[in-house]
Structures are given as structure tokens and as C-alpha cells.
Amino acid sequence: MASNQVKEPVITLSAGPVPAFPRVLRAMSRPVHYDFDPYFQQFYEEVARKAAMAMRVKQPALILHCEPAPGIEASAASLISPDDVVLNLASGVYGKGFGYWSARYHKEMVEIEVPYNESIDPQQVADAFRKRPDIKVVSLVHHDTPSGTINPAREIGKIVRDNGALLIVDAVSSFGGMDIHPEDCFADIFITGPGKCLGGAPGLTLMAVTDRAWKHMEANPKAPRASVLSLLDWKDAWSKDKPFPFTPSVTEVNGLDAVFDQYFDEGPEQVWRRHELTSRACRAGIKAMGLSLWAKTEAIASPTTTAVRVPEGVKDSDIIRTARESFGVVFSTGRGETLGKLLRIGHMGPVAEPIYAVVALTALGGALRKLGRKADVAAGVEAAMSVIENGQG
Ligand SMILES: *Cc1c(COP(=O)(O)O)cnc(C)c1O
């Protein structure tokens, strides 16, 4: 336990990690089995199959025993060969960041970067292929979390596949919170994790990898082996008959099992619905309260995170601190380029429930009022309630 200097939050509405489901936490207290014991090997295969079922792919999922950021770096290291031209799509901090990893491995990079409150236009991707038919690998972040905006992954993925290139999709903060799966968007490496919309802990990376991508990695002379950046090392580790290259994170795998039980018991469509309704109620309330959404249009605003423009003359850090000190509610700031410009309200996992939109609005509005700003909290709550009441049918 932390010392008593900083109080524990009451409600965490961050853009991840999120408060994990109690059922996941209970599963994480199951025994830590020896990884080479047949019981654990069989269990691991079952979990990899559940992950594949959630991602709607046949091949059991590739699980890496690290948080998704290193998992994404490992994808760059394993897939991108020294002959590859990479098209990097950047509509936010994570998209831009992939380019820095790619730079260690590619021959050349073409980049499409849009303002961080907009999304990538598929036409721009088609144009890039017309100019550079030699593009071999494309990287896309489906939901660039520090922008709170969604990219049209299906349309972009179709163009990439039609042009014979390989697509990496970072769906870490969208998978499990909305209708997106590897095959919907033609992803060759689809990356997600349990610590955002699925309501688990943040310590694993889950991937779906196509045969085309495995072939490319196998032919890549620089693909790392016996390394934490190696996907190939873990290719067959899902099988109960194959050894693990390194010790897997047993406790995290125990938790992952419950993450998928939770997801299937509730039903994916219902899970996406509550994320969508919560975000819609939140956006309506933000506008009614007299604040502005960060996303250029609501059509690209994420159903899993609402980014709110920081009002003129007040600091993001003051709002966040006041919401926390006065109400015990935790929000996220921006990151990198978006730091200071926006605040983020997370609707992920257990807190993607409509009533938390009301909590967010009252805590945010209340914090602004404490700071001497105007915020019509009543109008915000009324607008959110109206969306919730209609949405519940
Ligand atoms: C959370 C997240 C990741 C994981 O990386 P961290 O920054 O370490 O949390 C990767 N991609 C996206 C889009 C994310 O939201």
C-alpha cells in the first residue's frame, strides 16, 4: 500500500490502464503453475484459443508477455526487413511513434500525417500506392488514444491488401470496445491487449498474424531470434506440445482466461453497445455543458475515449488535479503533441457503463467551477440522461 500522502482514487476514468473486472483479479490469484507442466501447457493453449475466438480468427492467438507497446515494437522488428518500404499512417502520437521504431529496420519510409484531431483518408493511402507501388508494409493505429479518434481501418485495409502489401494494425484501445477484428480490416499483424476495453490487466500483448506475415518474417534475414523482440520465437508456443522460449507471465495468463470468459458471457455485441452508449452520452453532455470535443467531427470520435478540448485560460493539469482532489475522479491528459490541449475521459472495460458518463460530466464540470470557470453541469447531465434513456430503448 502507498503511504498516505496521495489518496487512492474513487473512480478511474482514464484512457487505460482501467480498473480490471473483479473476476479477472480473482483469476489472477489462481496458483502460479510451472510453465512446462502439462496442466499449464494445456491451459495456455485453451486461453490462446479463446483469444482467437474473440478475434474471430482460426489460428490460436500469439501472446507476448509484455505490455502492448513493446509488442508493437517487436512487430516492427520482426516483420520489417532491410529491403522494405514502409508506409506509416499517423493521426496521433502512437501512429507517429511507430515510425521511430520502423526507422531501425526499414529501407525507406513514406509517411502520411494528418492533424491529430482528424483521421486518415483512405484516398490518401490509395494515392500513396499509386506514387510508390513498392510499399511493402503499412502501419495503422485504429484508435490513436491520445487523440481519441478512429481511423477507417476497413477501407484502408482493403486498399493495402489490394496492393499486395502487409498491414500492421494497432487496435490496443479499440478491440473489445467496438466491432473491429483482424479479418475485417485485412490486418496481417493485429495487435491488442487485455488492459483497455477488455477490462483486464495491462501486462500482455495479443496478436493475430496471417500466414503471409509469417512467411515475410521467416524470409527476413534480420528478424530477431532468441530475443524479446522476436515474434518467430513465440509462433508455435500456443501449442500444448511445444515448449515456451521463455517463461510466460503465468499470473497474467490466468487473468486473461477470465477476461475472455467475461467477454463471451456478456456477449461482444452488448459489450460494444455499452461502450458506444457511454461515449455518446458523454459527448452530448460535454457539448451541452459548453465545452468542445477535440475530434474534428463526431463521426471519428472514439467510442472508447472522449477527448475534450481544454478551455482557453485554464490548464489541463489544474482540471485533472481538481477533479481528483475534489471528487476522487481520475481522467487522462493528452500525450506528446496533444498534451495540454485536451483531456481524456476513458470509457473502457468495467467503466464503459452509461452512468459513468454522468460521473465524468459532474466531476469535470465541478472541477471547472472550482477553478472559477462556467460549466452548465445540469445541462450536461440532462443531455447525457436523454441519450442514455433513449439508447436503453
Ligand atoms: C495503450 C496503448 C498501447 C500500449 O502502450 P502504452 O503506451 O504502454 O500503454 C499501444 N497503442 C495504443 C493505441 C494504446 O492505446
Side-chain angles (χ1 to χ4, degrees), residues 67-69 72 94 141 143 145 170 172-173 196:
E67 203 279 326
I72 299 164
Y94 284 98
V141 178
H143 171 213
T145 328
D170 168 352
V172 175
S173 60
K196 300 270 171 85

Coordinates of all heavy atoms in Angstrom, one line a residue, residues 67-69 72 94 141 143 145 170 172-173 196, ligand 1:
E67 N 3.5 -5.7 -22.1 CA 2.5 -4.7 -22.4 C 2.6 -4.5 -23.9 O 3.6 -4.7 -24.5 CB 3.0 -3.5 -21.5 CG 2.1 -2.5 -21.1 CD 1.9 -1.6 -22.2 OE1 2.8 -1.3 -23.0 OE2 0.7 -1.1 -22.3
P68 N 1.5 -4.0 -24.5 CA 1.5 -3.9 -26.0 C 2.5 -2.9 -26.6 O 2.8 -3.2 -27.8 CB 0.1 -3.4 -26.3 CG -0.8 -3.9 -25.1 CD 0.1 -3.8 -23.9
A69 N 3.0 -1.9 -25.9 CA 4.0 -1.0 -26.6 C 5.2 -1.8 -27.1 O 5.6 -1.8 -28.2 CB 4.4 0.1 -25.7
I72 N 4.3 -4.0 -30.0 CA 4.2 -3.3 -31.3 C 5.7 -3.2 -31.8 O 5.9 -3.4 -33.0 CB 3.5 -2.0 -31.2 CG1 2.1 -2.2 -30.7 CG2 3.6 -1.2 -32.5 CD1 1.4 -0.9 -30.2
Y94 N 0.7 7.6 -31.2 CA 1.1 6.2 -31.4 C 1.5 6.0 -32.9 O 2.4 5.3 -33.2 CB 0.0 5.3 -30.9 CG -0.1 5.1 -29.4 CD1 -1.0 5.8 -28.7 CD2 0.8 4.3 -28.8 CE1 -1.1 5.7 -27.3 CE2 0.7 4.1 -27.4 CZ -0.2 4.9 -26.7 OH -0.3 4.8 -25.3
V141 N -2.7 2.8 -36.8 CA -3.3 2.8 -35.4 C -4.8 3.0 -35.6 O -5.2 4.0 -36.1 CB -2.7 3.8 -34.5 CG1 -3.3 3.8 -33.1 CG2 -1.2 3.6 -34.4
H143 N -7.3 3.2 -33.3 CA -7.8 4.3 -32.4 C -6.5 4.9 -31.8 O -5.9 4.3 -30.9 CB -8.7 3.7 -31.3 CG -9.0 4.7 -30.2 ND1 -9.2 4.3 -28.9 CD2 -9.1 6.0 -30.2 CE1 -9.4 5.4 -28.1 NE2 -9.4 6.4 -28.9
T145 N -5.2 6.7 -29.3 CA -5.8 7.0 -28.0 C -5.5 8.5 -27.5 O -6.4 9.1 -27.0 CB -5.3 6.0 -26.9 OG1 -5.1 4.8 -27.5 CG2 -6.4 5.9 -25.8
D170 N -2.6 -1.5 -35.0 CA -2.6 -1.4 -33.5 C -4.1 -1.1 -33.1 O -4.6 0.0 -33.4 CB -1.7 -0.2 -33.1 CG -1.8 0.2 -31.7 OD1 -2.8 -0.3 -31.0 OD2 -1.0 1.0 -31.2
V172 N -5.1 -1.7 -29.9 CA -4.9 -1.9 -28.5 C -6.1 -1.3 -27.7 O -6.6 -1.9 -26.8 CB -3.6 -1.4 -28.0 CG1 -3.5 -1.5 -26.4 CG2 -2.4 -2.1 -28.6
S173 N -6.5 -0.1 -28.1 CA -7.5 0.6 -27.3 C -8.9 0.6 -28.0 O -9.8 1.4 -27.6 CB -7.1 2.0 -27.0 OG -6.9 2.8 -28.2
K196 N -7.2 -2.6 -21.8 CA -8.0 -1.4 -22.1 C -9.5 -1.9 -22.1 O -10.1 -2.1 -21.1 CB -7.6 -0.9 -23.5 CG -6.1 -0.4 -23.5 CD -5.9 1.0 -23.1 CE -4.4 1.4 -22.9 NZ -3.7 1.7 -24.2
Ligands
LIG1 C1 -2.4 1.7 -24.5 C2 -2.0 1.7 -25.9 C3 -0.8 1.0 -26.3 C4 0.0 0.3 -25.3 O1 1.1 1.1 -25.0 P1 1.3 2.0 -23.6 O2 1.6 3.4 -24.1 O3 2.5 1.4 -23.0 O4 0.1 1.9 -22.8 C5 -0.5 0.9 -27.6 N1 -1.3 1.5 -28.6 C6 -2.4 2.2 -28.3 C7 -3.2 2.8 -29.4 C8 -2.8 2.3 -26.9 O5 -3.9 3.0 -26.6

